[in-house]
């Protein structure tokens, strides 16, 4: 799950549309076979709609029946559970909140793998632990199916407008088939390597993003305390080696930029608790691979403390507000 | 003191030359009055030479007589001490290693303020604690002189080619006069605000730079451990919200970019101990202004530990090497 | 796995033997039924021997046949795998390196649960993630068996002398039965609560221990830099509010105390990589329960960096050496 | 300035009264010469009273006239400024909030050194940067006077009851003379070494104290989240290697201990902002001596953030509350 951002700014870069791995399918719509879709939440819903828009028959399910209404009205066939999706479609996309949901949807009692057909292509766009992606791939392989991880960047806005970025891990020879579907929902589809590397890329990006955001917030706060005008400081940083996405595209200081959450009391955007979740994944993978990530780890702790102190639903750039002296102190 | 970087990359941004506050003096060289210069080290030497090149008579001094030879041969007049410089020039530039040197050169027994003339313009390009800049300004004011802080970004290479960036703090009405001299030595001269804000801007930039560099190193290391190709990961980050100067211009992973210290065993560039010094200044100003800087503080500690473990003279991007598992572990 | 410490000092406190929950079984040795033992490593071996010494017939296994020799010569019966242990004994103790081993030994193809008898008591003394303990307990319950977690503190020395401390989680009504066996191997058997709380107590203690050790090392190093004699500083801390186990019982500065690893080039004791493992468990449980642990997390990162820099096998008090300036710098 | 603690608990240890460097002056009260006292705040006031109680004539001053009333009524002579104190007394004690005040009181326009007599003994009990203590000592020496730093531990309560601990730095041959006065106000007078080492000892103790307190808070919070009873967890830690002053004497979790601030909504005790000040001093001395203090530095940042978030006046053990999830989250 990633950020809903206004205008042309998105968590996964301004220049996305120019990169050469962007791809638009040109194959005929006539003979399209059904695509399964599991998980019709804030992200899954607009993604499934985009598949429908591109002419794919969609077989869908969700644990919450009301989540299914919208796509049903648009022509999707709703079934009872993931196993039934697998029974009717040999290409399936899943979009779920976290690792346990993914495990259940694939390997549970009514899971996809209970009825999956040989040769099926299973694409998971959830953001989860890469080791779970690998487990799912191994389980799928036993059933003769192919599993790929393809987490997204770009938020609800990008999901609606079909401008997500997909980072894809899995067998390279299956990438073209996956790309055919993913390009209906995204502007960029990047092949990252073996299963789990899509997750790895997503997690790595968000860890560095969090570090940059907290670092920018500390720096801007310190500069203001030292007598610098925040707009001027941002301008200096952005022409200098301190430059980063958080300083030049999503500045956390109210009044420095237009159209970002800092200008709107940190409403909208990418919530602190979602960032904390992604940093938790980064921390777990770092711990499990014995990789030192001192700043990533501290960034995780700071967002965790913010969640405990009432910032869970504010945009993650509200760390500037968290660090700044309260008025009247 | 900042980084010597190859090619077009410099710590203070690639696009420096395009910004509109760049300025080249066009006034006649005929009537130029002498300029004093104190501190002829690695940075001061080429800076003084650029003043000579622009036709300014230079009156210079340094605690090490041998440091004076080069500029003397080029026509500078060498005197015994800073007081004697102040006796012969009413515009003086100082470029010194750290706060105690600045205090001594200005307020010491043979300091500038002992013989400074009323109305003199004193420009300090050292990187020091902004509160020391303020003290010097107050002491200068008592003598009827004007003090400005103008720390530089850009390293020895930029000093030689006259492409430094100066961040200037002090009375706005004196800025034009300061700029006349500084443009002989730099491509950008940025007015930052009251005395000390030049230092503040420099310190803020370098703190965020350090955070970005360590964050990039952790992220790249984690990504590689998770199976990503480092070049591909850099490419993904650079089109995404993880993008920063350390990922797209000065990548710390050997083999990802050409012409940066990571490709040359971390030789050259901006030494870890110089970064540790700047982070120490950032820490001190943050402590003294009671500003929380959790990541800046941890970045400082990491560079401090690196200095203790033998990395003092390697480029600051060697933090990637410091964090990576030793071979054979 | 915990520390091997000389003399009377152990990681789990000097005063262990005085606490009132220490317990020595007094029931008759005559009718003792066999006890199973899986995992005859550095810790498991002396633990199994102590069971034999107390008159219990032991049925044992280990993946490395040579590990079984010693206890076999002392009368233990060696079988092929954990399932066979479960076939012959209804009380089983397991002592394994990490979570995956525990999962395999209990739920693997030849795992305990394949042949476990109804009503069996399964005690796991490994240090693992509490959530794995809970999973094992649930799996055991399905087979009609009882699982308890009982990680130890005290190291190989304490294992040999039967002076371990056991922190026990599980159904309270089974605690007496567990204690009967555990008191053969330990001086203290503490009931902590539901399944997993034994692990929780162990992990919590070791996290605070790591924080105290690094904190003591930083403090001692800073004090020495500021001109204090290390012995005097330790004395002052130990009569003051800075006092902790690492300052008063296991001081990391060479020469301050006798009989601790700092006096022996950080040989012996509790290895840095074992501490890093326990801190990884603490980190994972904190991440999974969304609990902020800023210092615990940084302690983890520091020990992780130390492992990467060649300190893996030195005692964890070698963090003092890691932080101290190298000679010649 | 340190903690006011109830009952027998004090920041500087329970066992203070047993150490052999405690000392009670036995010399005749008859011939006592006046003692100067500068700084009659919360700490200075009761200290000066104890000097009066021991029969010393006191010559005192404070920038706030109303602070002088109480001691004046008890017989102290109040003068206009520190210089006048120095004019009338050759033994002077100073107790001031921070470094700038100390610099002013000693070297300012009406400072002690303006009228100090040769051979005078100047004792500063403020908690300040050790390098400032050294400067003051050098300045005093030029005037033929002796300066010693003697910061205290123990808070207002201990100041009132004459049970402070003094950590003394300065010439060893002057220690006996200093001790004569300090024992009127304190139960322990510890000689630490050259000038500045008293400050160093105080700063080191409080840095380790802060680390231990935050570490204990994280650990207790994690343990409770993992299902442990907090009293039981404290009991386990305190018999184990996690034991520290914050866990066994000043536990931050409400309900675990009686008579500590955690049981009284973190009122009283040692304020978060005072701890932040001491950690700032530790940070500055560490930065200036290039000593890595990663946990000390993070502890500083955490207390700094707490000050910004409204915890400035709560006891420093309120970090437990700061880290714990708010209700309703």
């Amino acid at each position: 799950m990633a950020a809903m951002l206004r205008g042309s700014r998105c968590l996964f870069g301004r220049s996305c549309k120019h990169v050469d791995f962007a791809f638009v399918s040109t194959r005929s719509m006539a003979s399209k076979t059904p695509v399964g879709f599991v998980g019709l939440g804030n992200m899954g819903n607009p993604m499934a709609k985009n598949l429908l828009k591109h002419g794919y028959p969609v077989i869908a399910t969700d644990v919450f029946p009301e989540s299914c209404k919208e796509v049903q009205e648009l022509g999707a066939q709703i079934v009872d559970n993931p196993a039934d999706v697998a029974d009717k479609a040999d290409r399936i996309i899943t979009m779920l909140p976290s690792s346990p949901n993914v495990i259940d949807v694939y390997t549970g009692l009514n899971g996809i793998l209970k009825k999956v057909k040989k040769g099926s292509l299973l694409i998971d766009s959830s953001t989860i632990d890469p080791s779970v992606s690998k487990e799912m791939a191994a389980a799928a392989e036993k059933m003769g199916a192919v599993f790929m991880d393809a987490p997204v960047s770009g938020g609800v806005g990008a999901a609606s407008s079909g401008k997500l970025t997909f980072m894809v891990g899995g067998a390279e020879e299956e990438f073209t088939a996956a790309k055919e579907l993913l390009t209906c929902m995204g502007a960029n589809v990047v092949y990252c390597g073996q299963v789990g590397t899509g997750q790895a890329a997503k997690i790595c990006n968000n860890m560095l993003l969090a570090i940059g955001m907290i670092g920018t917030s500390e720096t801007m706060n310190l500069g203001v305390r030292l007598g610098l005008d925040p707009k001027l400081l941002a301008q200096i940083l952005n022409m200098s080696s301190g430059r980063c996405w958080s300083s030049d595209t999503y500045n956390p200081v109210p009044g420095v930029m237009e159209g970002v959450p800092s200008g709107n009391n940190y409403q909208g955007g990418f919530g602190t608790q979602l960032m904390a979740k992604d940093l938790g994944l980064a921390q777990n993978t770092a711990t499990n691979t014995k990789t030192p990530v001192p700043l990533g780890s501290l960034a995780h702790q700071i967002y965790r403390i913010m969640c405990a102190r009432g910032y869970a639903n504010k945009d993650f750039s509200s760390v500037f507000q968290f660090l700044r002296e309260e008025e009247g102190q």
Side-chain angles (χ1 to χ4, degrees), chain A:
Chain A
M1 203 90 20
M4 177 180 62
L5 307 174
R6 288 131 227 261
S8 65
R9 284 184 194 93
C10 81
L11 277 187
F12 207 72
R14 287 183 287 197
S15 54
C16 295
K17 36 191 168 306
H18 308 123
V19 295
D20 60 356
F21 32 62
F23 173 91
V24 176
S25 171
T26 55
R27 66 158 64 186
S28 155
M29 304 280 166
S31 61
K32 281 172 178 167
T33 61
V35 174
F37 207 105
V38 181
L40 296 166
N42 290 335
M43 293 294 289
N45 226 305
M47 289 167 70
K49 286 183 199 164
N50 277 321
L51 283 173
L52 288 165
K53 258 187 230 169
H54 279 73
Y56 287 95
V58 169
I59 317 288
T61 195
D62 191 280
V63 283
F64 299 108
E66 64 272 33
S67 300
C68 303
K69 282 186 186 160
E70 261 187 275
V71 296
Q72 189 170 22
E73 286 164 11
L74 292 169
Q77 179 185 350
I78 307 303
V79 298
D80 277 358
N81 55 49
D84 288 351
V85 172
D87 193 39
K88 293 174 188 285
D90 62 2
R91 293 180 294 178
I92 303 175
I93 291 162
T94 53
M95 188 60 174
L96 302 154
S98 65
S99 298
N101 306 292
V102 171
I103 292 169
D104 189 51
V105 158
Y106 280 89
T107 65
L109 217 60
N110 290 309
I112 288 170
L113 299 186
K114 284 284 182 272
K115 297 195 183 166
V116 75
K117 294 168 192 161
K118 285 208 172 173
S120 288
L121 176 62
L122 312 173
I123 302 173
D124 179 39
S125 283
S126 321
T127 295
I128 58 167
D129 193 314
S131 68
V132 174
S133 301
K134 287 182 193 167
E135 282 174 38
M136 294 304 104
E141 200 179 0
K142 279 188 194 162
M143 310 300 293
V146 170
F147 174 96
M148 302 186 91
D149 56 310
V152 304
S153 195
V156 174
S160 298
S161 59
K163 294 197 166 162
L164 292 168
T165 294
F166 288 91
M167 288 154 278
V168 186
E172 194 161 9
E173 61 273 22
E174 308 289 346
F175 179 58
T176 307
K179 201 159 55 170
E180 182 197 318
L181 296 180
L182 298 177
T183 47
C184 304
M185 303 177 282
N188 299 298
V189 183
V190 188
Y191 181 68
C192 295
Q194 61 187 24
V195 164
T197 55
Q199 300 295 352
K202 169 79 184 284
I203 286 171
C204 282
N205 183 71
N206 282 13
M207 184 174 89
L208 188 48
L209 168 60
I211 292 169
M213 180 54 80
I214 300 175
T216 300
S217 296
E218 295 178 9
T219 299
M220 295 294 298
N221 191 28
L222 179 60
V224 169
R225 291 287 194 94
L226 296 176
L228 287 161
D229 172 78
K231 278 195 177 182
L232 175 66
L233 177 54
Q235 203 181 343
I236 293 174
L237 295 172
N238 293 342
M239 58 176 274
S240 310
S241 48
R243 166 178 62 76
C244 62
W245 186 88
S246 297
S247 70
D248 70 15
T249 303
Y250 204 84
N251 201 289
V253 181
V256 167
M257 297 182 75
E258 305 266 307
V260 289
S262 60
N264 190 26
N265 200 23
Y266 303 106
Q267 309 271 314
F270 185 50
T272 289
Q273 71 186 344
L274 294 174
M275 180 52 97
K277 176 210 156 192
D278 286 2
L279 290 169
L281 288 174
Q283 186 60 55
N284 281 349
T285 60
T287 298
N288 296 340
T289 57
K290 302 186 179 177
T291 311
V293 288
L295 295 193
S297 184
L298 182 52
H300 177 216
Q301 297 304 314
I302 290 170
Y303 278 114
R304 190 51 69 207
I305 295 172
M306 285 175 67
C307 287
R309 297 260 65 72
Y311 286 77
N313 296 314
K314 293 195 174 194
D315 179 69
F316 79 115
S317 64
S318 63
V319 63
F320 175 75
Q321 192 184 64
F322 178 69
L323 293 174
R324 187 167 55 172
E325 189 83 1
E326 285 180 273
E327 283 175 35
Q329 289 289 307

